[in-house]
Amino acid sequence: MAVTIIVEPNPGGHRFQYVRHVASLAAKSTDVVLLTSRGAEASAEYDTFLRGLPIEVHEVFDEPLPATAAIAAKVADLCRGEAAPTVVVMDGDQLVKRWWLEAPRAFRGLPSRPEVILLLTRLPARLTFADRIGWLHKLSKTALSLLAFATRSAHRVLYIAGRDDLATGFLLRRVRDPAICSAHARDRDALRRRLDLPSDRRLVGILGGINGRKNYPLVAAAVCRTATDVDLLLAGSPTPDVQAWLDDLPAGQRERVIVRTGFLSDNDLDGYVAACDVVAIAHENNAPSGIMGKAVAAGVPVLTAGSTVRAHECAALGAGVHTAMTEDGLAGGIRQLLGGDVARARRRGRMSLPTAEEFAEVILTGAPTKQAAPS
């Protein structure tokens, strides 16, 4: 039987969710092998996303961020007994810098070259003309991908695009980030009871991995300026600096920050998203946000800043507002969303939200994005 090898050394966060999307489709027609780091199969992330899937797990890496040469060597080892398997590298942004050099060395002597698919998760799909750093970033990774093509060490390179982006791409293919949520804002009261959240407060949520990149102090300051019945909800896995910031907050401000720490199962994360009045995504990473996808699917308005990609997505889907990355801008956006003053002209008549199946199909086959009937 044909084999699909999925490479994801890092089980942290919700990376294994992408693995689940690809593995679920690949398992319908091939055997599936996951190459990951030691201890991954015992993790909460594995239990949440991959437990029960028909995959074979090889814990071959000593760390979640192994060197490119080590990844190429482990892939080659597994390919020696297989007839040209498909290899999907789920996070190729760092690896692409040396893959063109390391993979041909490792693959030398194999009976046949594997078909390698690289997924770039941090390549901006949309840029302004003035974004010099963004253009350098995009052009350099495109050039490195061309080297991988030229050395036959990659057959397809894809990158994550916004949910409104129907372009297929040329040299590098675009794949829309899925928008999936098992909970919905219509059930907000019940969700708040289940998650022990206050029913008489309006909540602005920062969810998932919580770190300085998400500008939580700036969002907290904006929340405090909106109205006295609005609180900030931090739910997910915080870095140590988050706790230090919380400890230093004056009592009046600390009382307006609700904290739920720890890795969240898909069910709980979806519940926290749908329980919010607004989901805040205020960071400079110019790429789609998985949390934003959940919010759109759950019918929760989104406040976003710092990203051309998310600004286009907000406008196209009528998902919320994009503001300046300032306290004034964020506070104004929160007031606008809590007041219901949001353009809801969502183009759902012509555009359906991307599914996990579509995401996996584009990665595995390179097929153009197919529009399903709108829900």
Side-chain angles (χ1 to χ4, degrees):
M1 191 173 182
V3 175
T4 300
I5 300 170
I6 301 176
V7 181
E8 180 48 273
N10 189 351
H14 284 68
R15 292 168 179 263
F16 276 174
Q17 186 171 47
Y18 276 173
V19 173
R20 180 179 68 190
H21 299 336
V22 175
S24 296
L25 182 61
K28 294 180 180 180
S29 56
T30 72
D31 290 332
V32 178
V33 177
L34 171 64
L35 298 186
T36 188
S37 57
R38 304 193 195 284
E41 197 171 2
S43 67
E45 292 88 345
Y46 188 92
D47 282 340
T48 293
F49 299 115
L50 299 178
R51 187 73 66 193
L53 283 182
I55 61 177
E56 181 180 329
V57 180
H58 291 206
E59 297 183 346
V60 294
F61 302 115
D62 294 324
E63 55 180 318
L65 298 173
T68 300
I71 294 175
K74 295 301 182 182
V75 169
D77 288 344
L78 199 56
C79 289
R80 298 191 196 285
E82 306 292 347
T86 298
V87 177
V88 184
V89 180
M90 298 302 300
D91 189 355
D93 288 85
Q94 291 299 318
L95 174 139
V96 74
K97 296 178 181 179
R98 293 184 58 83
W99 186 252
W100 61 274
L101 178 65
E102 303 292 355
R105 293 174 178 173
F107 294 168
R108 192 174 297 132
L110 291 179
S112 57
R113 289 283 185 103
E115 178 180 318
V116 177
I117 301 166
L118 304 181
L119 177 65
L120 308 181
T121 62
R122 295 181 295 280
L123 188 70
R126 296 183 187 271
L127 292 166
T128 63
F129 286 114
D131 189 351
R132 179 175 173 272
I133 293 176
W135 281 110
L136 287 173
H137 184 58
K138 190 163 190 173
L139 291 172
S140 64
K141 287 193 177 178
T142 300
L144 290 165
S145 298
L146 289 174
L147 282 173
F149 293 147
T151 57
R152 296 190 302 129
S153 56
H155 293 70
R156 184 159 56 255
V157 179
L158 307 98
Y159 62 105
I160 306 294
R163 297 162 189 93
D164 64 308
D165 193 341
L166 301 181
T168 58
F170 179 51
L171 294 171
L172 279 58
R173 303 300 295 264
R174 298 187 184 197
V175 54
R176 295 196 298 163
D177 202 20
I180 306 166
C181 193
S182 61
H184 198 275
R186 70 175 70 93
D187 303 315
R188 182 173 291 145
D189 291 342
L191 289 167
R192 289 198 179 184
R193 287 193 295 271
R194 177 170 73 84
L195 297 169
D196 192 26
L197 295 173
S199 60
D200 59 343
R201 307 290 293 175
R202 292 183 289 177
L203 301 180
V204 176
I206 298 178
L207 310 158
I210 304 169
N211 51 46
R213 185 174 60 88
K214 293 194 175 182
N215 289 297
Y216 55 87
L218 187 62
V219 177
V223 165
C224 288
R225 287 182 51 183
T226 54
T228 57
D229 65 338
V230 182
D231 292 338
L232 176 66
L233 169 65
L234 301 178
S237 301
T239 52
D241 57 294
V242 178
Q243 187 59 55
W245 170 76
L246 287 168
D247 292 342
D248 288 340
L249 281 178
Q253 295 180 34
R254 180 63 183 86
E255 291 169 359
R256 296 183 63 178
V257 181
I258 300 169
V259 182
R260 300 288 187 271
T261 60
F263 173 77
L264 301 177
S265 68
D266 229 15
N267 185 50
D268 282 347
L269 180 58
D270 289 357
Y272 280 116
V273 169
C276 289
D277 296 278
V278 174
V279 167
I281 304 161
H283 55 74
E284 288 84 1
N285 183 20
N286 190 20
S289 158
I291 298 297
M292 180 171 174
K294 288 181 178 295
V296 172
V300 177
V302 174
L303 172 75
T304 179
S307 166
T308 304
V309 171
R310 295 195 303 276
H312 277 268
E313 189 175 331
C314 250
L317 299 180
V321 297
H322 184 85
T323 75
M325 187 73 80
T326 63
E327 188 177 319
D328 285 344
L330 294 171
I334 294 170
R335 292 191 194 99
Q336 184 179 345
L337 292 171
L338 292 177
D341 183 17
V342 183
R344 290 292 182 183
R346 184 176 298 181
R347 297 188 301 181
R348 295 296 293 276
R350 290 176 290 164
M351 182 186 301
S352 62
L353 294 176
T355 64
E357 293 76 15
E358 175 193 311
F359 177 82
E361 183 179 3
V362 174
I363 289 174
L364 290 171
T365 70
T369 299
K370 298 176 182 179
Q371 278 291 288
S375 57

